Amino acid sequence: MSGGVARDRIRLAGVRGRGFHGVFEHERREGQEFVVDVELAADLAPAGASDDLADTVNYGEIGAEVLARIEGQPFDLIERLAEDIASDALRHSEVDEATVTVHKPQAPVGVPFTDVTVTVVRRRPAVPVVVALGANLPRGDQRPADTARAAVEALAQHPDVTVVAVSDLHDTEPVGGPEQPVYVNAVVTARTTLSPTSLLRELHGIEAAFDRRREVRWGARTLDLDLVQYGDPDSGTDVTSDLPRLTLPHPRAHERAFVLVPWLEADPDATLRHAGRAVRVAELVAALDTSGVRNHPTENLLDEGPEI
């Protein structure tokens, strides 16, 4: 599978401000003009479809953050200024990669010149994520359990995702929706350098490869991959979002035994942000009826199985 970094780009060029960055005393005292260009890799397809600002990167906010860095804390080197601007940009949940160029046209170089620039290209650091998997329809002669195994392998082979742990499969009774077959469910914990938006796009791509159809809400499906959590609630680095296309953490995960039981199996120390705080998944499981979640006899999900 190809890498999941977004191919779309937003470029904000020529953000100007007066800053006091430099190694010389007169630069810190008198200041000078700095100019910054920012190019962001982000998936713009949702915004192209919805025409909604909430579905894209707000480059007005990016520009304000850049200007605040230019005019803010002075640094000796524009390399450090570029680094901090890139870090700010990557905090936006849609951004996979930031390319930042800082211009210092009045730098004390000592020779005739037109401009001095420093460019840094930065991607997101790897963060922990939790993906819930479910299937209850065969795909041709492939059983739901076979589909689950192949889907986990597809995720593990993704160049921007590192699988950390996989639960066993569990047979679970359907919750909500029309009458339908029993599900097989599992949970994968992983680390990724993709933004939440791009990771969700990649999960949908795997679903589509296994003939997922979105025709009936909570209806039977060949494969369902839900992004349950992105980041670490214990350290406060998890992403929260109430956008219709990206709701984080998953709004019903705290009450779903078919998610929490396998998650706890994959990560006994797991925590989920619920009601504004990090709650141990073990505590949530203890408060639920788990009788509808049964072990499914199967080999390890990462063993070699059917191809996509």
Side-chain angles (χ1 to χ4, degrees):
M1 182 178 296
S2 62
V5 176
R7 294 187 296 271
D8 302 331
R9 297 291 186 272
I10 291 177
R11 189 166 188 267
L12 179 63
V15 179
R16 298 172 179 272
R18 190 167 190 84
F20 296 84
H21 313 285
V23 296
F24 296 109
E25 190 276 333
H26 71 273
E27 294 181 292
R28 294 296 187 108
R29 183 182 65 251
E30 300 171 9
Q32 59 192 291
E33 183 182 65
F34 294 85
V35 183
V36 174
D37 306 324
V38 180
E39 183 173 278
L40 308 174
D43 185 356
L44 305 182
S50 69
D51 197 28
D52 189 338
L53 178 61
D55 287 334
T56 188
V57 183
N58 186 329
Y59 41 82
E61 291 180 0
I62 296 286
E65 292 169 359
V66 170
L67 185 59
R69 286 292 186 185
I70 293 173
E71 297 179 342
Q73 177 186 353
F75 300 121
D76 286 347
L77 302 177
I78 56 175
E79 288 88 341
R80 172 61 188 277
L81 177 60
E83 196 75 43
D84 280 13
I85 291 171
S87 179
D88 291 342
L90 289 171
R91 292 193 183 98
H92 291 256
S93 63
E94 304 87 355
V95 178
D96 281 322
E97 182 178 276
T99 301
V100 176
T101 299
V102 177
H103 302 256
K104 191 176 181 181
Q106 299 167 339
V109 175
V111 298
F113 75 105
T114 301
D115 197 5
V116 171
T117 67
V118 164
T119 298
V120 301
V121 181
R122 296 291 180 265
R123 291 197 52 194
R124 290 175 168 270
V127 299
V129 295
V130 179
V131 177
L133 178 154
N136 70 339
L137 287 181
R139 178 176 173 259
D141 60 358
Q142 190 175 77
R143 302 168 304 153
D146 298 327
T147 298
R149 186 177 304 107
V152 170
E153 290 174 352
L155 187 61
Q157 291 166 9
H158 196 289
D160 299 305
V161 176
T162 300
V163 169
V164 175
V166 185
S167 74
D168 289 337
L169 276 178
H170 297 265
D171 293 329
T172 67
E173 298 299 327
V175 177
E179 185 175 347
Q180 56 187 295
V182 169
Y183 277 85
V184 291
N185 288 99
V187 163
V188 177
T189 62
R191 297 182 69 83
T192 185
T193 55
L194 295 175
S195 69
T197 300
S198 288
L199 177 58
L200 188 62
R201 183 192 66 240
E202 297 299 286
L203 295 179
H204 288 169
I206 295 174
E207 289 179 339
F210 287 96
D211 303 325
R212 168 69 188 271
R213 300 289 183 267
R214 299 177 182 274
E215 297 169 348
V216 179
R217 188 182 187 192
W218 295 330
R221 71 287 308 264
T222 56
L223 179 64
D224 185 30
L225 295 174
D226 282 333
L227 180 55
V228 175
Q229 185 162 271
Y230 182 100
D232 178 15
D234 283 331
S235 63
T237 59
D238 54 319
V239 172
T240 60
S241 170
D242 58 4
L243 296 174
R245 63 174 175 82
L246 181 69
T247 306
L248 287 171
H250 192 287
R252 292 174 295 279
H254 68 281
E255 60 188 23
R256 289 182 165 177
F258 63 84
V259 172
L260 297 180
V261 170
W263 184 3
L264 187 62
E265 182 179 281
D267 180 6
D269 297 320
T271 58
L272 169 69
R273 183 169 297 281
H274 173 54
R277 65 186 185 92
V279 182
R280 296 294 169 189
V281 169
E283 294 178 20
L284 295 170
V285 169
L288 294 177
D289 177 4
T290 62
S291 60
V293 181
R294 305 176 296 277
N295 286 335
H296 178 91
T298 182
E299 57 269 35
N300 188 291
L301 278 178
L302 281 177
D303 285 346
E304 185 158 348
E307 295 296 324
I308 294 176

